Amino acid sequence: MKRTEIASLGEFGLIDHLTKNIELKNTSSEKGVGDDAAVLSYANKKTLVTTDLLLEGIHFDLMYVPLKHLGYKSAVVNFSDIYAMNGQPKQITVSLGISKRFSVEDLELFYEGLSLACQEYGVDLVGGDTSSSLTGMAISVTCIGEGEEGKIVYRNGAKETDLICISGDLGAAFMGLQLLEREKAVYSGETDFQPDFTGKEYLLERQLKPEARKDIVKFLSEEGIVPTSMIDVSDGLSSELKHICKQSKVGCHIYEERIPIDYQTAMMAEQFNMNVSTVALNGGEDYELLFTVPLYLHDKVSKIKGVHVIGHITKEGLGLVMETRDGTEIELKAQGWDSIGEEK
Ligand SMILES: [Mg+2]
């Protein structure tokens, strides 16, 4: 494969090269790449801003993450945060720290992924920066979006008796990561990393090419529903419920049997000897939307395809409770990402 050294283009040449095909789609993007700053116009809207830093070796492993997928995911996880505010992502800026290990062709792949995500979600890439780094790759993405006055949804609006809803299914991205890590360990030392993932495609897709739930935000708006609180699931259901309950000053009661889990996730968890509910509660990187709505919206919200009602909001003093399949009530703990392996 052709390898062009980044130095042969220089910093400005590189940015020109990577951004030459960008066409602005949104009216709020007045000026994109090419001047000292981008110019955005959010006349009658609220502006939402979110940012994310991804470091090689901490947040991603290029041993099994293709650069195109990495570009796609870097953008999508930021869009997800804007949707979690009931907003629409409109612009991103992308900054990269890149070591000599990477060629112009590598960055082209990364930008292909970025551009694909921008195209699919109607977002403009309006700026960024590149710099050489001593080791590895660092990616910083900032996403700007719009929200309507009165319709922005925070984490702090959940009320007692509200229904707790989740889109899609949980735990698949985490099992995808476990699978990739296992294969990496098996193949360590071998130059050709070509494991067989037949029948596990969904898990890999959820880990490597996640999607943000633009569709759910659209359905909610079409149904005239403004959730009382909302958050995207990046660290795991338990942790996100904790954020909502803490900020809304409420408790919650969810039912284990109602947590949506895909068949491949359940199969893989069994193979790994992991409790599938623990995986769904604590895995993370699902980028599903967790939200609450008033009780009277039960019929309306359960009609939305891919949305599951998993429980309800309670009084603050009652804590965070999950009722297990055999009817036992246990306290939910946010385990986070790292400790799940040690869990029984
Ligand atoms: Mg978030």
Side-chain angles (χ1 to χ4, degrees):
M1 199 180 148
K2 195 174 144 214
R3 180 184 165 98
T4 312
E5 295 302 329
I6 288 166
S8 72
L9 290 178
E11 189 198 337
F12 301 123
L14 177 66
I15 292 173
D16 286 348
H17 177 72
L18 293 172
T19 58
K20 63 177 184 269
N21 293 323
I22 291 175
E23 279 172 36
L24 300 179
K25 308 178 263 290
N26 292 311
T27 48
S28 53
S29 308
E30 280 191 13
K31 172 76 188 174
V33 177
D35 214 304
D36 296 290
V39 180
L40 308 181
S41 171
Y42 279 89
N44 301 312
K45 305 276 185 176
K46 296 276 184 192
T47 315
L48 307 170
V49 181
T50 179
T51 195
D52 221 17
L53 177 64
L54 300 167
L55 301 175
E56 184 179 355
I58 306 283
H59 302 101
F60 58 91
D61 186 336
L62 289 171
M63 174 92 184
Y64 51 70
V65 180
L67 279 160
K68 187 174 172 182
H69 288 71
L70 184 61
Y72 192 88
K73 185 171 175 175
S74 309
V76 163
V77 302
N78 278 276
F79 303 163
S80 180
D81 276 323
I82 300 286
Y83 291 125
M85 303 296 292
N86 205 27
Q88 295 291 330
K90 294 291 175 184
Q91 288 89 19
I92 50 168
T93 65
V94 179
S95 297
L96 298 175
I98 335 147
S99 76
K100 285 208 179 69
R101 214 173 86 224
F102 298 92
S103 66
V104 172
E105 286 76 15
D106 289 334
L107 296 186
E108 281 171 1
L109 286 172
F110 181 82
Y111 264 74
E112 255 179 56
L114 271 182
S115 304
L116 183 63
C118 285
Q119 202 181 312
E120 282 182 10
Y121 289 85
V123 173
D124 292 322
L125 201 154
V126 296
D129 195 14
T130 60
S131 164
S132 46
S133 81
L134 290 179
T135 169
M137 187 174 190
I139 307 161
S140 169
V141 177
T142 296
C143 185
I144 299 131
E146 64 178 41
E148 270 176 63
E149 178 94 60
K151 293 198 174 162
I152 294 176
V153 178
Y154 300 88
R155 296 174 178 181
N156 65 4
K159 300 272 182 303
E160 200 186 335
T161 76
D162 278 0
L163 299 170
I164 302 171
C165 309
I166 183 86
S167 65
D169 59 78
L170 299 175
F174 180 78
M175 289 322 299
L177 180 67
Q178 297 308 301
L179 184 61
L180 287 163
E181 287 284 346
R182 181 182 73 182
E183 298 306 307
K184 180 187 155 186
V186 170
Y187 278 76
S188 67
E190 290 184 36
T191 45
D192 219 12
F193 185 63
Q194 291 287 348
D196 181 15
F197 291 127
T198 315
K200 302 171 184 103
E201 293 86 355
Y202 181 64
L203 305 178
L204 293 183
E205 194 182 310
R206 294 283 281 173
Q207 170 56 224
L208 296 174
K209 191 176 176 283
E211 301 292 350
R213 297 312 300 260
K214 180 183 186 172
D215 56 336
I216 298 292
V217 169
K218 186 165 167 262
F219 285 140
L220 289 171
S221 144
E222 283 167 2
E223 291 290 324
I225 299 172
V226 179
T228 48
S229 70
M230 185 150 65
I231 189 168
D232 66 326
V233 182
S234 49
D235 296 329
L237 178 62
S238 278
S239 163
E240 318 304 354
L241 273 172
K242 224 172 183 172
H243 285 304
I244 284 187
C245 288
K246 190 176 172 202
Q247 294 207 23
S248 299
K249 300 191 170 59
V250 292
C252 71
H253 189 108
I254 64 164
Y255 299 87
E256 183 183 20
E257 62 183 9
R258 294 198 197 166
I259 299 173
I261 291 163
D262 185 80
Y263 174 76
Q264 288 189 16
T265 309
M267 290 297 290
M268 206 63 224
E270 201 176 300
Q271 261 194 47
F272 274 88
N273 216 357
M274 285 176 175
N275 179 316
V276 73
S277 295
T278 311
V279 167
L281 285 167
N282 302 316
E285 291 202 291
D286 300 297
Y287 301 106
E288 295 297 342
L289 291 173
L290 173 69
F291 58 95
T292 54
V293 296
L295 186 56
Y296 74 88
L297 287 173
H298 182 272
D299 290 351
K300 243 185 179 180
V301 83
S302 27
K303 263 200 325 220
I304 302 177
K305 198 169 164 274
V307 169
H308 300 263
V309 177
I310 57 167
H312 57 268
I313 297 292
T314 58
K315 272 194 180 60
E316 185 175 23
L318 295 178
L320 281 71
V321 172
M322 181 172 80
E323 192 170 320
T324 63
R325 287 190 181 83
D326 61 15
T328 317
E329 294 188 355
I330 60 165
E331 197 199 330
L332 276 182
K333 291 194 182 98
Q335 305 281 353
W337 178 266
D338 297 323
S339 60
I340 192 168
E342 289 104 63
E343 266 255 327
K344 280 282 133 47

